[in-house]
Coordinates of all heavy atoms in Angstrom, one line a residue:
S226 N 7.2 13.6 12.8 CA 7.2 15.0 13.2 C 8.5 15.4 13.9 O 8.8 16.6 14.1 CB 6.1 15.2 14.3 OG 4.8 15.1 13.7
Q227 N 9.4 14.4 14.1 CA 10.8 14.7 14.5 C 11.7 15.2 13.4 O 12.7 15.8 13.7 CB 11.4 13.4 15.1 CG 10.6 12.8 16.3 CD 11.1 11.5 16.8 OE1 12.3 11.1 16.4 NE2 10.3 10.7 17.5
F228 N 11.1 15.2 12.2 CA 11.9 15.8 11.1 C 11.3 17.2 10.8 O 10.2 17.2 10.5 CB 11.9 14.8 9.9 CG 12.5 13.5 10.1 CD1 11.9 12.5 10.8 CD2 13.9 13.3 9.7 CE1 12.5 11.3 11.0 CE2 14.4 12.1 10.0 CZ 13.8 11.1 10.6
P229 N 12.1 18.2 10.9 CA 11.6 19.6 10.9 C 10.7 19.9 9.7 O 9.5 20.5 9.8 CB 12.7 20.4 10.9 CG 13.7 19.6 11.7 CD 13.5 18.2 11.3
D230 N 11.1 19.6 8.4 CA 10.4 19.8 7.3 C 9.0 19.2 7.2 O 7.9 19.7 6.8 CB 11.2 19.5 6.0 CG 12.2 20.4 5.7 OD1 12.3 21.5 6.4 OD2 13.1 20.2 4.9
H231 N 9.0 17.9 7.7 CA 7.8 17.1 7.7 C 6.9 17.6 8.8 O 5.6 17.5 8.6 CB 8.1 15.7 7.8 CG 9.0 15.1 6.6 ND1 8.9 15.5 5.4 CD2 10.1 14.3 6.7 CE1 9.9 14.9 4.6 NE2 10.6 14.2 5.4
A232 N 7.4 18.0 9.9 CA 6.6 18.6 10.9 C 5.9 19.8 10.5 O 4.7 20.0 10.8 CB 7.5 18.9 12.2
R233 N 6.6 20.6 9.7 CA 5.9 21.9 9.1 C 4.8 21.4 8.2 O 3.7 22.1 8.2 CB 7.0 22.8 8.5 CG 7.9 23.5 9.4 CD 8.7 24.5 8.7 NE 9.8 23.9 8.0 CZ 11.0 23.8 8.6 NH1 11.2 24.0 9.8 NH2 12.0 23.1 7.9
S234 N 5.0 20.4 7.3 CA 3.9 20.0 6.4 C 2.7 19.5 7.3 O 1.6 19.8 6.9 CB 4.4 18.8 5.6 OG 5.5 19.3 4.7
L235 N 3.0 18.8 8.4 CA 1.9 18.3 9.1 C 1.2 19.5 9.8 O -0.1 19.4 10.0 CB 2.3 17.3 10.2 CG 2.7 15.9 9.6 CD1 3.4 15.1 10.7 CD2 1.5 15.2 9.1
E236 N 1.9 20.5 10.2 CA 1.2 21.6 10.8 C 0.3 22.3 9.9 O -0.7 22.8 10.2 CB 2.4 22.5 11.4 CG 1.7 23.7 12.2 CD 0.8 23.3 13.3 OE1 1.1 22.3 14.0 OE2 -0.2 24.0 13.5
R237 N 0.7 22.5 8.6 CA -0.1 23.1 7.7 C -1.4 22.3 7.5 O -2.5 22.9 7.3 CB 0.6 23.3 6.3 CG 1.7 24.3 6.3 CD 2.2 24.7 4.9 NE 2.9 23.5 4.3 CZ 4.2 23.3 4.4 NH1 4.9 24.1 5.1 NH2 4.7 22.3 3.8
V238 N -1.3 20.9 7.4 CA -2.5 20.2 7.3 C -3.4 20.4 8.6 O -4.6 20.5 8.5 CB -2.1 18.7 7.2 CG1 -3.4 17.8 7.2 CG2 -1.4 18.5 5.8
R239 N -2.8 20.3 9.7 CA -3.5 20.5 11.0 C -4.3 21.8 11.1 O -5.4 22.0 11.6 CB -2.7 20.3 12.2 CG -2.4 18.8 12.5 CD -1.8 18.7 13.9 NE -0.4 19.2 13.9 CZ 0.7 18.5 13.7 NH1 0.6 17.2 13.5 NH2 1.9 19.0 13.7

Side-chain angles (χ1 to χ4, degrees):
S226 294
Q227 298 172 19
F228 295 82
D230 286 349
H231 304 318
R233 284 189 285 271
S234 295
L235 286 171
E236 184 55 37
R237 286 194 293 272
V238 171
R239 280 192 292 266

